[in-house]
Every structure is written in structure tokens, then in C-alpha cells.
């Protein structure tokens, strides 16, 4: 706990925060704030159907869910899933998508078991730590993700990283696969509350 927030961290990497009380307790923060690229996509996504999230963190995006949307989360670390699902630590999941499954395992392998064309929105959020899971960023991996989207589906890739320019990797893969791609760098909120929203780099593909 730091000030108004509870924070999930691993090393120097922030995986999400939540306000401890007040009107903003269920407002997504940091990279997932409504004004940040991921928040822009999720807040505007009103289509019914499945929404997949690879990389759970605190579960912030859960509170963008609408009644006719079915969320499913994929997480490799059982401890992350444990803390995100426990309202004593973070209440996004328990308050906003209490019945959504959390599938433990490697995101690429678990998505491979899903049917093609099943997702309207798919978020890949597994690249911000010091150790980048390179097998999630190959041409074959991105082709797999795109195959799991419906005809109107959108793939959102959170590529913020302190050490590597991952957006150029994704851009080259998108070009090779013939996918449409848009990139946004968000510089963050300039208010005193730095955790309300934070800088992020996001590529969306379709």
C-alpha cells in the first residue's frame, strides 16, 4: 500500500494498482485508465461476445465489461491469479467479472486450444517486465492470435518496455502477415497522482 493505492509489483515493474477507497475504487488505473490506449479500446468496445485477456495483473480491465460480454483471463503465474481474485487485495475481478474463468498456463499454448474466430477483443499484456517472453512475439504467435479473432475482432498488444522497442517488432510482423496495425504512444497524466494513468505504448491489429 502506498498512499491512496494498493500496487502489484514484480521487481521494478508495476502490474497494476487500485484505489483503496472512494469514488474511483473501481476505476482502472495506470496503463488501463480510460484515457490510456488500452482503456480507449476497452471503453469503446461495446460488441457482444468474448473478450480475452492474456496477462492478468490486478484485473483492471474487468471493470470495462458489459453485460453481454464474456471475459476470460489467461495467466501464467498462480500467485498473480491468487492476489487478483482475492478482494482483500484487489476487487476489480470480484466486483466486475466475478464469474469469468482464469486459465492458468502459458498464454500462447492456452490460446492455441481455443476455437478460431472466437474473440471480439483480445489483449496481449505480457511484455512489460524485464524478461520479455519472446515466444509470444513471433510471427507464428501473432498469426495464432489473429486467427482467434472474429472477422471484426481486434488484437490489442501492450508493448511498453524499458529495454526494447517492441512496437517495431510488432509492426514488421503485421506487415508480413498483411494485418492492419495502428500504434499509439501515450505520455501519461500530468496530474500529481502519477498512478492514475501512466505512459504506455500499444499496437492494435486487425
Amino acid at each position: 500500500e502506498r498512499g491512496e493505492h494498493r500496487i502489484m509489483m514484480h521487481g521494478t515493474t508495476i502490474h497494476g494498482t487500485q484505489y483503496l477507497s472512494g469514488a474511483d475504487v473501481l476505476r482502472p488505473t495506470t496503463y488501463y485508465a480510460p484515457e490510456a490506449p488500452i482503456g480507449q479500446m476497452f471503453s469503446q468496445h461495446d460488441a457482444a461476445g468474448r473478450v480475452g485477456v492474456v496477462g492478468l495483473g490486478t484485473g483492471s480491465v474487468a471493470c470495462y465489461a458489459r453485460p453481454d460480454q464474456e471475459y476470460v483471463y489467461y495467466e501464467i503465474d498462480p500467485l498473480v491469479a491468487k492476489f487478483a481474485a482475492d478482494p482483500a487485495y484487489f476487487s476489480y475481478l470480484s466486483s466486475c467479472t466475478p464469474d469469468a474463468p482464469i486459465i492458468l498456463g502459458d498464454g500462447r499454448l492456452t490460446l492455441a486450444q481455443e476455437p478460431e474466430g472466437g474473440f471480439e477483443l483480445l489483449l496481449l499484456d505480457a511484455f512489460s517486465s524485464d524478461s520479455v517472453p519472446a515466444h509470444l512475439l513471433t510471427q507464428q504467435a501473432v498469426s495464432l492470435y489473429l486467427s482467434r479473432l472474429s472477422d471484426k475482432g481486434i488484437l490489442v498488444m501492450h508493448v511498453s518496455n524499458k529495454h526494447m522497442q517492441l512496437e517495431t517488432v510488432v509492426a514488421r510482423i503485421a506487415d508480413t502477415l498483411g494485418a492492419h496495425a495502428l500504434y499509439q504512444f501515450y505520455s501519461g497524466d500530468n496530474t500529481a497522482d502519477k498512478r492514475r494513468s501512466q505512459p504506455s505504448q500499444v499496437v492494435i491489429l486487425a
Side-chain angles (χ1 to χ4, degrees), residues 113-188:
Q113 300 173 26
E114 296 285 358
E116 293 188 4
F119 290 102
E120 300 302 322
L121 185 65
L122 182 59
L123 169 64
L124 266 290
D125 186 18
F127 308 115
S128 56
S129 66
D130 291 343
S131 178
V132 176
H135 72 291
L136 297 181
L137 266 179
T138 65
Q139 180 179 322
Q140 292 80 6
V142 176
S143 179
L144 168 69
Y145 310 147
L146 292 172
S147 74
R148 269 45 187 173
L149 299 177
S150 72
D151 289 342
K152 295 183 179 180
I154 298 290
L155 173 63
V156 181
M157 299 187 71
H158 182 199
V159 295
S160 304
N161 190 274
K162 297 175 183 176
H163 308 291
M164 301 180 69
Q165 290 183 303
L166 300 180
E167 69 277 10
T168 59
V169 177
V170 176
R172 288 173 184 152
I173 292 173
D175 187 57
T176 300
L177 295 175
H180 297 282
L182 291 174
Y183 166 69
Q184 185 181 144
F185 171 75
Y186 172 69
S187 60

Side-chain angles (χ1 to χ4, degrees), residues 19 43 131:
Y19 284 98
S43 61
S131 178

Side-chain angles (χ1 to χ4, degrees), residues 7-16 77 79-80 128-131 162:
I7 307 172
M8 183 185 287
M9 294 186 71
H10 184 235
T12 60
T13 302
I14 294 177
H15 291 289
D77 190 336
L79 279 177
V80 170
S128 56
S129 66
D130 291 343
S131 178
K162 297 175 183 176

